[in-house]
Amino acid sequence: MVSIDKRTGTEPGTDAGPQGPEHDAAASRAAADHALLQAFGGVWGMVDTTVPGLVFVLIYTINRDIKTAAVAALGLSLVLALARVVRKQTLKHAFSGVFGVAFGAVFAMLSGDAKNFYLPGMLYTLGLAVAYVVSALVGYPLIGLLLGPILKENLSWKTRNPGRLVAYTKATWAWGIILLAKSAVLFPLYFWGNATQLGWVKVALGIPPFLLAVYLTWIFLAKAPPPIDVIAEMEAEEAKEAKERAAKEAAER
């Protein structure tokens, strides 16, 4: 007769508690949360993409000098990138922020129109929104393509995990719609508003839509099945094949 441990409800000698399915699900959720922060830049990513624009519009509002505002914004963007280097953080979002500010600064100074400081970022946002929508329509949602490698599931969500495909599709639609709505507010201001109006509205629309999209993504993924760790599967298969080869070689001796 098999005895049962009354504290854990398991047979003696078996792994209980932290190594069960609940632990795997919790670990999967924690990995997904970390992946979201890693993929979208987290707090520092928001700072990199928002604060230089705030500095530009603040200085331009005060002195109406495009060059001073542009140089100050670019200088701050470089300082933020150097801060990431010192902290040994990823530079992907910092460099994208530096390049975006640099393009906007050059464009604004060459054209003599402060509104053009924001145009490269606005075009990038619109292009990204279209990419999200198109990827969802063709069945390869961009959120899945971004998070799949980070969560070690690669494209298994496409062929083996339909619940995650649905979640990634919903999340991708959320990002696409939110960014399209943001573009729908900003472009009319670019064409018919002034630089100060455009700048302050763009700053105001920098963080809240991003947080809303990340939150919706988190909600959709939290309700989805856990990712399939295809890397672990490959390693297990390789270990099994190596064990079988070793056993065969031992039998042939």
Side-chain angles (χ1 to χ4, degrees), residues 135-145 153-173 220-221 224-228:
S135 70
L137 288 173
V138 301
Y140 283 89
L142 191 55
I143 297 297
L145 297 177
E153 61 180 331
N154 294 340
L155 289 177
S156 62
W157 50 265
K158 175 66 176 176
T159 56
R160 300 170 54 193
N161 205 340
R164 288 191 72 79
L165 173 59
V166 171
Y168 281 141
T169 302
K170 289 180 178 179
T172 300
W173 272 113
F220 293 137
L221 293 183
I228 298 172

Side-chain angles (χ1 to χ4, degrees), residues 77-184:
S77 186
L78 291 171
V79 169
L80 292 173
L82 289 175
R84 278 186 178 264
V85 173
V86 172
R87 291 182 172 87
K88 297 182 180 179
Q89 297 174 334
T90 177
L91 297 178
K92 177 178 66 174
H93 297 283
F95 281 143
S96 64
V98 169
F99 287 130
V101 173
F103 279 124
V106 171
F107 198 17
M109 287 188 290
L110 290 178
S111 66
D113 188 347
K115 288 191 293 184
N116 287 331
F117 175 82
Y118 305 103
L119 186 58
M122 291 167 55
L123 292 174
Y124 174 78
T125 297
L126 180 59
L128 192 58
V130 172
Y132 278 122
V133 170
V134 171
S135 70
L137 288 173
V138 301
Y140 283 89
L142 191 55
I143 297 297
L145 297 177
L146 291 172
L147 297 183
I150 299 175
L151 294 174
K152 300 180 180 180
E153 61 180 331
N154 294 340
L155 289 177
S156 62
W157 50 265
K158 175 66 176 176
T159 56
R160 300 170 54 193
N161 205 340
R164 288 191 72 79
L165 173 59
V166 171
Y168 281 141
T169 302
K170 289 180 178 179
T172 300
W173 272 113
W175 278 90
I177 291 171
I178 289 171
L179 294 184
L180 284 175
K182 181 177 177 179
S183 297

Side-chain angles (χ1 to χ4, degrees), residues 6-72:
K6 293 181 179 180
R7 292 182 301 103
T8 64
T10 61
E11 298 177 17
T14 60
D15 291 333
Q19 299 303 322
E22 292 182 359
H23 172 265
D24 294 339
S28 173
R29 287 192 295 269
D33 294 345
H34 177 73
L36 278 175
L37 293 176
Q38 182 179 346
F40 302 118
V43 175
W44 276 101
M46 289 186 285
V47 171
D48 291 335
T49 57
T50 304
V51 175
L54 174 61
V55 169
F56 179 90
V57 69
L58 182 61
I59 293 176
Y60 182 76
T61 300
I62 294 172
N63 63 16
R64 299 292 172 175
D65 187 340
I66 295 176
K67 183 177 180 179
T68 301
V71 170

Side-chain angles (χ1 to χ4, degrees), residues 36 174-175 178 208-222:
L36 278 175
W175 278 90
I178 289 171
F210 173 84
L211 292 179
L212 175 60
V214 170
Y215 175 72
L216 291 175
T217 301
W218 180 81
I219 290 294
F220 293 137
L221 293 183

